[in-house]
Amino acid sequence: MGDPAGISPELAAKLLALSEVRESADIVVFGDRRILDEGARVAGVDPAIETVDEAQLAASPRGRSVFVDLENLAVEDVTPKEATLAGGQFATGNFRKALQLAAAGRADAVFFTPFNKKAMRLAYPNYDDEIRFINDVLGRSGPASEFNVLGQLWNARVTSHIPLSGVAAAITREAILRSLTLADRAMRDAGFQRPRIAVAGLNPHAGDDGNFGREEIDVIEPAVAEAASRGIVCEGPFPSDTVFLRAKAGVFDAVLTMYHDQGQIAMKLMGFDRGVTLLGGFPFPICTPAHGTAYDIAGQGIANIGASREAILLAARMGREARMRAAA
């Protein structure tokens, strides 16, 4: 369960009430039952999931879904529509438990309803984003990245949560190669046989042959050529204002963009209520809806479940396929 002050509690309740979600996996939910029940009341659904405490979890057999009641937040301690320390502690505590369960080999994938970054920072001062938090919990420092997924179309990025003023300096040949390699591997893990990746330029019109910048000529194009020589199916750089049109038409399976909003804007315009964020590069898939906590509509029972449904079903499918690969 994610941030309690927004739509996360009602999204969690709505998901657990969906038969297709319950049938997709054995689900272990971490949170506080009081918060889930309040979300269910707001959403007008019955999640009908068995509650266990943490000590009982180890004895819980496969084949059923359970709610692990950490008793870590009372309803009266939630400040609706506001980022608070209590909300951040609730979200980080739940997320840590889920990550630890997967890291111990007892879960195949992790899904979370939306977090609020301000609340997360209040509870965990080192928090930059979910990737930083996951690395800290797992004690790792390997490459990882956010991917936005909309149906069969993916968006990867070279830089993510950094100021726009620092983007150009961070666009290096090594960073692009690392991003292409990670995207290719994550997409293969998700079922693509040979993912086709288009690479966006950094500058307007992909630099216009050097008239608007040389990053495309000096950095991006050589990185794409090297990735192709390693067997990754990739092309570019293409102007970023048209590359998504080609990807949407099916010419490519993914677009690698140079910075956060270059891809986020396009993906959210095409399908805000269906977009998924996949955190790739970890030992197990981690998914969440691409939207945020929606404080403005919290408590009204009108939160759209589409993106959360897509995200948890993707996590279940990728976790299932990873288990099958490991058993082969």
Side-chain angles (χ1 to χ4, degrees):
M1 297 186 70
D3 187 81
I7 61 174
S8 283
E10 61 191 271
L11 289 177
K14 286 180 177 180
L15 286 174
L16 293 172
L18 285 180
S19 59
E20 64 178 323
V21 169
R22 296 285 291 272
E23 292 166 3
S24 70
D26 301 332
I27 302 172
V28 178
V29 187
F30 288 98
D32 190 296
R33 186 71 199 220
R34 295 166 293 183
I35 300 297
L36 178 69
D37 288 345
E38 176 61 15
R41 183 194 67 78
V42 168
V45 298
D46 179 6
I49 185 171
E50 177 187 358
T51 299
V52 300
D53 60 31
E54 199 169 359
Q56 294 172 301
L57 178 61
S60 179
R62 284 191 172 270
R64 65 173 178 164
S65 296
V66 295
F67 187 97
V68 182
D69 193 355
L70 300 177
E71 299 182 352
N72 52 353
L73 187 65
V75 173
E76 55 268 26
D77 293 331
V78 176
T79 305
K81 306 184 179 186
E82 186 175 322
T84 64
L85 172 61
Q89 290 173 331
F90 177 76
T92 54
N94 298 337
F95 196 26
R96 182 179 287 105
K97 292 291 185 183
L99 292 170
Q100 290 170 340
L101 193 74
R106 297 176 57 206
D108 302 303
V110 171
F111 163 84
F112 59 92
T113 49
F115 296 150
N116 179 278
K117 286 181 167 49
K118 179 180 178 180
M120 299 288 270
R121 282 193 296 272
L122 289 172
Y124 193 81
N126 289 334
Y127 181 90
D128 293 329
D129 54 21
E130 287 81 4
I131 289 176
R132 168 68 178 273
F133 183 82
I134 297 165
N135 277 332
D136 288 350
V137 171
L138 299 184
R140 69 183 296 279
S141 58
S145 182
E146 282 190 7
F147 300 96
N148 290 104
V149 182
L150 189 59
Q152 289 297 105
L153 177 59
W154 286 46
N155 169 221
R157 61 184 85 134
V158 178
T159 67
S160 189
H161 297 122
I162 67 172
L164 193 58
S165 60
V167 167
I171 301 300
T172 65
R173 184 168 175 165
E174 293 75 20
I176 296 168
L177 275 170
R178 183 170 59 247
S179 299
L180 283 169
T181 301
L182 188 56
D184 181 74
R185 184 169 74 245
M187 295 183 73
R188 288 177 187 273
D189 287 345
F192 288 86
Q193 296 299 314
R194 293 180 75 247
R196 303 162 299 165
I197 305 173
V199 180
L202 172 66
N203 298 299
H205 305 293
D208 188 33
D209 291 326
N211 288 330
F212 308 137
R214 292 194 54 86
E215 285 84 0
E216 286 77 11
I217 297 170
D218 297 337
V219 181
I220 303 175
E221 189 174 338
V224 172
E226 184 170 343
S229 72
R230 298 181 183 182
I232 296 173
V233 183
C234 55
E235 297 180 45
F238 299 107
S240 61
D241 59 351
T242 57
V243 67
F244 277 94
L245 296 174
R246 299 181 67 186
K248 183 182 178 184
V251 178
F252 299 104
D253 302 306
V255 177
L256 176 69
T257 50
M258 295 298 112
Y259 57 93
H260 185 278
D261 286 1
Q262 193 179 38
Q264 286 276 70
I265 292 171
M267 295 292 280
K268 290 185 176 182
L269 276 173
M270 287 189 286
F272 183 76
D273 59 350
R274 295 180 291 116
V276 173
T277 296
L278 167 71
L279 301 173
F282 298 106
F284 43 84
I286 304 170
C287 296
T288 188
H291 60 70
T293 49
Y295 282 168
D296 57 325
I297 62 168
Q300 300 179 39
I302 61 173
N304 190 311
I305 199 175
S308 293
R309 173 188 168 276
E310 293 292 327
I312 197 168
L313 292 178
L314 177 62
R317 178 168 61 82
M318 290 184 69
R320 193 163 51 245
E321 290 173 355
R323 175 175 284 271
M324 291 172 60
R325 286 194 301 271

